[in-house]
Amino acid sequence: MIYNEENIILKLSYEFALAIVEYSETLEENKKYVIARQILKSGTSIGANIREAQNAESKTDFIHKIKIAAKEVDETEYWLEICRDSKNYPFDITLIDKIIVIKKIITKIISTSKKPINELSN
């Protein structure tokens, strides 16, 4: 399921993972270890699951793996909101902006992937 042209969701999820690694390090510098660990795991898992979906064995497998990435998006968004709304937590609003874009693309991928092939050409 990998395409020759640039795959925007692979690119965005990879760039987001790099940003999450940096943000997690900032949280650790501020002794916010528990959330740093949670957000690092869920935030980097998004791209890992999307990349794994590129080698899916079937359309159903592809959709399943992308749905796992969508769950990781929701979890990461939750942790980002906790950081945003908690006192004494460093926060970068661009992370929320980035995850919203990723969420929209993943939602579109799932809905498009569920359509029969003959519907996609119309």
Side-chain angles (χ1 to χ4, degrees), residues 89-117:
Y89 269 70
F91 184 69
D92 181 355
I93 190 67
T94 63
L95 293 173
I96 291 276
D97 297 339
K98 290 176 183 182
I99 203 154
I100 288 170
V101 170
I102 291 169
K103 187 177 199 173
K104 287 179 181 178
I105 294 170
I106 288 176
T107 300
K108 184 66 175 175
I109 289 169
I110 292 168
S111 67
T112 302
S113 296
K114 287 182 174 181
K115 291 182 180 179
I117 292 175

mmCIF file of all heavy atoms in Angstrom, residues 89-117:
data_model
loop_
_atom_site.group_PDB
_atom_site.id
_atom_site.type_symbol
_atom_site.label_atom_id
_atom_site.label_comp_id
_atom_site.label_asym_id
_atom_site.label_seq_id
_atom_site.Cartn_x
_atom_site.Cartn_y
_atom_site.Cartn_z
ATOM 1 N N TYR A 89 3.215 23.239 33.843
ATOM 2 C CA TYR A 89 3.678 22.347 32.782
ATOM 3 C C TYR A 89 4.079 23.187 31.581
ATOM 4 O O TYR A 89 3.314 24.059 31.154
ATOM 5 C CB TYR A 89 2.574 21.372 32.355
ATOM 6 C CG TYR A 89 2.578 20.078 33.117
ATOM 7 C CD1 TYR A 89 2.219 20.052 34.463
ATOM 8 C CD2 TYR A 89 2.950 18.895 32.511
ATOM 9 C CE1 TYR A 89 2.219 18.857 35.174
ATOM 10 C CE2 TYR A 89 2.957 17.699 33.219
ATOM 11 C CZ TYR A 89 2.594 17.694 34.543
ATOM 12 O OH TYR A 89 2.606 16.522 35.250
ATOM 13 N N PRO A 90 5.250 22.937 31.030
ATOM 14 C CA PRO A 90 5.606 23.626 29.787
ATOM 15 C C PRO A 90 4.671 23.114 28.695
ATOM 16 O O PRO A 90 4.249 21.957 28.736
ATOM 17 C CB PRO A 90 7.051 23.193 29.527
ATOM 18 C CG PRO A 90 7.205 21.906 30.260
ATOM 19 C CD PRO A 90 6.273 21.976 31.445
ATOM 20 N N PHE A 91 4.324 23.968 27.764
ATOM 21 C CA PHE A 91 3.408 23.539 26.716
ATOM 22 C C PHE A 91 3.725 24.236 25.409
ATOM 23 O O PHE A 91 4.098 25.400 25.389
ATOM 24 C CB PHE A 91 1.954 23.809 27.116
ATOM 25 C CG PHE A 91 0.983 23.289 26.108
ATOM 26 C CD1 PHE A 91 0.819 21.931 25.925
ATOM 27 C CD2 PHE A 91 0.270 24.158 25.311
ATOM 28 C CE1 PHE A 91 -0.043 21.442 24.960
ATOM 29 C CE2 PHE A 91 -0.599 23.673 24.348
ATOM 30 C CZ PHE A 91 -0.762 22.315 24.175
ATOM 31 N N ASP A 92 3.553 23.493 24.327
ATOM 32 C CA ASP A 92 3.777 24.013 22.978
ATOM 33 C C ASP A 92 2.493 23.818 22.180
ATOM 34 O O ASP A 92 2.150 22.697 21.806
ATOM 35 C CB ASP A 92 4.946 23.261 22.331
ATOM 36 C CG ASP A 92 5.265 23.742 20.932
ATOM 37 O OD1 ASP A 92 4.535 24.602 20.393
ATOM 38 O OD2 ASP A 92 6.254 23.253 20.366
ATOM 39 N N ILE A 93 1.779 24.900 21.924
ATOM 40 C CA ILE A 93 0.489 24.835 21.227
ATOM 41 C C ILE A 93 0.619 24.249 19.824
ATOM 42 O O ILE A 93 -0.332 23.666 19.305
ATOM 43 C CB ILE A 93 -0.198 26.227 21.193
ATOM 44 C CG1 ILE A 93 -1.646 26.126 20.690
ATOM 45 C CG2 ILE A 93 0.580 27.191 20.314
ATOM 46 C CD1 ILE A 93 -2.575 25.393 21.594
ATOM 47 N N THR A 94 1.792 24.359 19.215
ATOM 48 C CA THR A 94 1.948 23.816 17.856
ATOM 49 C C THR A 94 1.785 22.293 17.832
ATOM 50 O O THR A 94 1.409 21.738 16.802
ATOM 51 C CB THR A 94 3.307 24.198 17.231
ATOM 52 O OG1 THR A 94 4.366 23.625 17.994
ATOM 53 C CG2 THR A 94 3.469 25.711 17.150
ATOM 54 N N LEU A 95 2.019 21.633 18.961
ATOM 55 C CA LEU A 95 1.822 20.182 19.014
ATOM 56 C C LEU A 95 0.337 19.831 18.854
ATOM 57 O O LEU A 95 -0.008 18.868 18.172
ATOM 58 C CB LEU A 95 2.376 19.600 20.308
ATOM 59 C CG LEU A 95 3.894 19.667 20.459
ATOM 60 C CD1 LEU A 95 4.318 19.228 21.854
ATOM 61 C CD2 LEU A 95 4.577 18.819 19.393
ATOM 62 N N ILE A 96 -0.528 20.621 19.462
ATOM 63 C CA ILE A 96 -1.979 20.412 19.295
ATOM 64 C C ILE A 96 -2.366 20.671 17.839
ATOM 65 O O ILE A 96 -3.113 19.895 17.246
ATOM 66 C CB ILE A 96 -2.788 21.333 20.238
ATOM 67 C CG1 ILE A 96 -2.611 20.920 21.701
ATOM 68 C CG2 ILE A 96 -4.266 21.356 19.841
ATOM 69 C CD1 ILE A 96 -3.499 19.817 22.191
ATOM 70 N N ASP A 97 -1.844 21.745 17.272
ATOM 71 C CA ASP A 97 -2.142 22.056 15.865
ATOM 72 C C ASP A 97 -1.721 20.904 14.954
ATOM 73 O O ASP A 97 -2.464 20.504 14.054
ATOM 74 C CB ASP A 97 -1.426 23.340 15.432
ATOM 75 C CG ASP A 97 -1.888 24.572 16.201
ATOM 76 O OD1 ASP A 97 -3.002 24.550 16.764
ATOM 77 O OD2 ASP A 97 -1.121 25.552 16.244
ATOM 78 N N LYS A 98 -0.550 20.368 15.186
ATOM 79 C CA LYS A 98 -0.030 19.271 14.357
ATOM 80 C C LYS A 98 -0.860 18.007 14.505
ATOM 81 O O LYS A 98 -1.142 17.323 13.519
ATOM 82 C CB LYS A 98 1.432 18.981 14.708
ATOM 83 C CG LYS A 98 2.377 20.068 14.268
ATOM 84 C CD LYS A 98 3.796 19.805 14.722
ATOM 85 C CE LYS A 98 4.693 20.958 14.321
ATOM 86 N NZ LYS A 98 6.083 20.752 14.687
ATOM 87 N N ILE A 99 -1.255 17.698 15.730
ATOM 88 C CA ILE A 99 -2.000 16.454 15.924
ATOM 89 C C ILE A 99 -3.415 16.555 15.348
ATOM 90 O O ILE A 99 -3.978 15.566 14.883
ATOM 91 C CB ILE A 99 -1.998 15.980 17.391
ATOM 92 C CG1 ILE A 99 -2.268 14.479 17.422
ATOM 93 C CG2 ILE A 99 -3.002 16.717 18.232
ATOM 94 C CD1 ILE A 99 -1.739 13.755 18.591
ATOM 95 N N ILE A 100 -3.973 17.749 15.334
ATOM 96 C CA ILE A 100 -5.297 17.936 14.720
ATOM 97 C C ILE A 100 -5.227 17.664 13.221
ATOM 98 O O ILE A 100 -6.104 17.003 12.658
ATOM 99 C CB ILE A 100 -5.855 19.336 15.029
ATOM 100 C CG1 ILE A 100 -6.260 19.407 16.505
ATOM 101 C CG2 ILE A 100 -7.036 19.684 14.124
ATOM 102 C CD1 ILE A 100 -6.608 20.787 17.010
ATOM 103 N N VAL A 101 -4.176 18.133 12.576
ATOM 104 C CA VAL A 101 -3.992 17.869 11.146
ATOM 105 C C VAL A 101 -3.837 16.368 10.903
ATOM 106 O O VAL A 101 -4.479 15.798 10.008
ATOM 107 C CB VAL A 101 -2.774 18.647 10.587
ATOM 108 C CG1 VAL A 101 -2.429 18.207 9.180
ATOM 109 C CG2 VAL A 101 -3.029 20.147 10.643
ATOM 110 N N ILE A 102 -3.013 15.708 11.709
ATOM 111 C CA ILE A 102 -2.805 14.262 11.572
ATOM 112 C C ILE A 102 -4.123 13.522 11.788
ATOM 113 O O ILE A 102 -4.454 12.595 11.038
ATOM 114 C CB ILE A 102 -1.715 13.779 12.549
ATOM 115 C CG1 ILE A 102 -0.347 14.322 12.097
ATOM 116 C CG2 ILE A 102 -1.698 12.253 12.663
ATOM 117 C CD1 ILE A 102 0.762 14.133 13.111
ATOM 118 N N LYS A 103 -4.884 13.935 12.775
ATOM 119 C CA LYS A 103 -6.175 13.302 13.071
ATOM 120 C C LYS A 103 -7.127 13.403 11.886
ATOM 121 O O LYS A 103 -7.791 12.430 11.520
ATOM 122 C CB LYS A 103 -6.789 13.957 14.317
ATOM 123 C CG LYS A 103 -8.039 13.300 14.829
ATOM 124 C CD LYS A 103 -8.488 14.016 16.090
ATOM 125 C CE LYS A 103 -9.433 13.180 16.899
ATOM 126 N NZ LYS A 103 -9.738 13.791 18.195
ATOM 127 N N LYS A 104 -7.195 14.575 11.280
ATOM 128 C CA LYS A 104 -8.078 14.772 10.117
ATOM 129 C C LYS A 104 -7.662 13.876 8.953
ATOM 130 O O LYS A 104 -8.514 13.276 8.286
ATOM 131 C CB LYS A 104 -8.066 16.241 9.682
ATOM 132 C CG LYS A 104 -8.816 17.148 10.626
ATOM 133 C CD LYS A 104 -8.747 18.593 10.163
ATOM 134 C CE LYS A 104 -9.477 19.499 11.133
ATOM 135 N NZ LYS A 104 -9.381 20.915 10.744
ATOM 136 N N ILE A 105 -6.372 13.776 8.703
ATOM 137 C CA ILE A 105 -5.891 12.944 7.598
ATOM 138 C C ILE A 105 -6.175 11.473 7.873
ATOM 139 O O ILE A 105 -6.645 10.749 6.990
ATOM 140 C CB ILE A 105 -4.392 13.187 7.341
ATOM 141 C CG1 ILE A 105 -4.164 14.620 6.842
ATOM 142 C CG2 ILE A 105 -3.850 12.172 6.327
ATOM 143 C CD1 ILE A 105 -2.702 15.036 6.788
ATOM 144 N N ILE A 106 -5.925 11.019 9.082
ATOM 145 C CA ILE A 106 -6.188 9.620 9.433
ATOM 146 C C ILE A 106 -7.673 9.304 9.310
ATOM 147 O O ILE A 106 -8.050 8.246 8.784
ATOM 148 C CB ILE A 106 -5.647 9.290 10.840
ATOM 149 C CG1 ILE A 106 -4.122 9.233 10.810
ATOM 150 C CG2 ILE A 106 -6.225 7.977 11.361
ATOM 151 C CD1 ILE A 106 -3.472 9.021 12.162
ATOM 152 N N THR A 107 -8.521 10.207 9.762
ATOM 153 C CA THR A 107 -9.966 10.009 9.647
ATOM 154 C C THR A 107 -10.372 9.868 8.185
ATOM 155 O O THR A 107 -11.169 8.991 7.827
ATOM 156 C CB THR A 107 -10.722 11.182 10.310
ATOM 157 O OG1 THR A 107 -10.358 11.237 11.696
ATOM 158 C CG2 THR A 107 -12.226 11.020 10.191
ATOM 159 N N LYS A 108 -9.801 10.700 7.334
ATOM 160 C CA LYS A 108 -10.092 10.637 5.894
ATOM 161 C C LYS A 108 -9.564 9.334 5.293
ATOM 162 O O LYS A 108 -10.245 8.706 4.473
ATOM 163 C CB LYS A 108 -9.474 11.847 5.184
ATOM 164 C CG LYS A 108 -9.790 11.934 3.724
ATOM 165 C CD LYS A 108 -11.265 12.182 3.500
ATOM 166 C CE LYS A 108 -11.549 12.383 2.029
ATOM 167 N NZ LYS A 108 -12.970 12.505 1.757
ATOM 168 N N ILE A 109 -8.380 8.906 5.696
ATOM 169 C CA ILE A 109 -7.815 7.644 5.199
ATOM 170 C C ILE A 109 -8.743 6.484 5.555
ATOM 171 O O ILE A 109 -9.033 5.623 4.717
ATOM 172 C CB ILE A 109 -6.395 7.405 5.760
ATOM 173 C CG1 ILE A 109 -5.406 8.380 5.130
ATOM 174 C CG2 ILE A 109 -5.952 5.960 5.531
ATOM 175 C CD1 ILE A 109 -4.044 8.397 5.809
ATOM 176 N N ILE A 110 -9.225 6.464 6.777
ATOM 177 C CA ILE A 110 -10.109 5.377 7.216
ATOM 178 C C ILE A 110 -11.406 5.385 6.415
ATOM 179 O O ILE A 110 -11.822 4.350 5.895
ATOM 180 C CB ILE A 110 -10.379 5.459 8.737
ATOM 181 C CG1 ILE A 110 -9.102 5.149 9.515
ATOM 182 C CG2 ILE A 110 -11.508 4.499 9.145
ATOM 183 C CD1 ILE A 110 -9.176 5.472 10.999
ATOM 184 N N SER A 111 -12.035 6.547 6.282
ATOM 185 C CA SER A 111 -13.315 6.594 5.559
ATOM 186 C C SER A 111 -13.136 6.256 4.086
ATOM 187 O O SER A 111 -13.953 5.547 3.506
ATOM 188 C CB SER A 111 -13.991 7.948 5.738
ATOM 189 O OG SER A 111 -13.269 8.970 5.107
ATOM 190 N N THR A 112 -12.063 6.719 3.475
ATOM 191 C CA THR A 112 -11.798 6.417 2.068
ATOM 192 C C THR A 112 -11.472 4.940 1.880
ATOM 193 O O THR A 112 -11.921 4.319 0.912
ATOM 194 C CB THR A 112 -10.637 7.282 1.535
ATOM 195 O OG1 THR A 112 -10.979 8.664 1.712
ATOM 196 C CG2 THR A 112 -10.363 7.013 0.073
ATOM 197 N N SER A 113 -10.725 4.373 2.792
ATOM 198 C CA SER A 113 -10.318 2.970 2.681
ATOM 199 C C SER A 113 -11.494 2.015 2.822
ATOM 200 O O SER A 113 -11.446 0.899 2.312
ATOM 201 C CB SER A 113 -9.266 2.631 3.735
ATOM 202 O OG SER A 113 -8.105 3.379 3.515
ATOM 203 N N LYS A 114 -12.535 2.440 3.507
ATOM 204 C CA LYS A 114 -13.702 1.588 3.704
ATOM 205 C C LYS A 114 -14.605 1.554 2.477
ATOM 206 O O LYS A 114 -15.441 0.671 2.355
ATOM 207 C CB LYS A 114 -14.504 2.063 4.912
ATOM 208 C CG LYS A 114 -13.834 1.750 6.237
ATOM 209 C CD LYS A 114 -14.696 2.203 7.376
ATOM 210 C CE LYS A 114 -14.131 1.783 8.707
ATOM 211 N NZ LYS A 114 -14.990 2.197 9.822
ATOM 212 N N LYS A 115 -14.441 2.507 1.561
ATOM 213 C CA LYS A 115 -15.290 2.554 0.369
ATOM 214 C C LYS A 115 -14.864 1.461 -0.620
ATOM 215 O O LYS A 115 -13.681 1.169 -0.762
ATOM 216 C CB LYS A 115 -15.147 3.918 -0.320
ATOM 217 C CG LYS A 115 -15.750 5.043 0.469
ATOM 218 C CD LYS A 115 -15.622 6.353 -0.277
ATOM 219 C CE LYS A 115 -16.224 7.482 0.521
ATOM 220 N NZ LYS A 115 -16.101 8.765 -0.155
ATOM 221 N N PRO A 116 -15.858 0.901 -1.331
ATOM 222 C CA PRO A 116 -15.517 -0.065 -2.375
ATOM 223 C C PRO A 116 -14.690 0.618 -3.476
ATOM 224 O O PRO A 116 -14.830 1.812 -3.719
ATOM 225 C CB PRO A 116 -16.886 -0.497 -2.916
ATOM 226 C CG PRO A 116 -17.889 -0.108 -1.877
ATOM 227 C CD PRO A 116 -17.283 1.054 -1.143
ATOM 228 N N ILE A 117 -13.845 -0.150 -4.139
ATOM 229 C CA ILE A 117 -12.942 0.388 -5.160
ATOM 230 C C ILE A 117 -13.708 1.131 -6.249
ATOM 231 O O ILE A 117 -13.280 2.194 -6.687
ATOM 232 C CB ILE A 117 -12.056 -0.728 -5.751
ATOM 233 C CG1 ILE A 117 -11.091 -1.195 -4.666
ATOM 234 C CG2 ILE A 117 -11.309 -0.259 -6.995
ATOM 235 C CD1 ILE A 117 -10.235 -2.376 -5.044
#
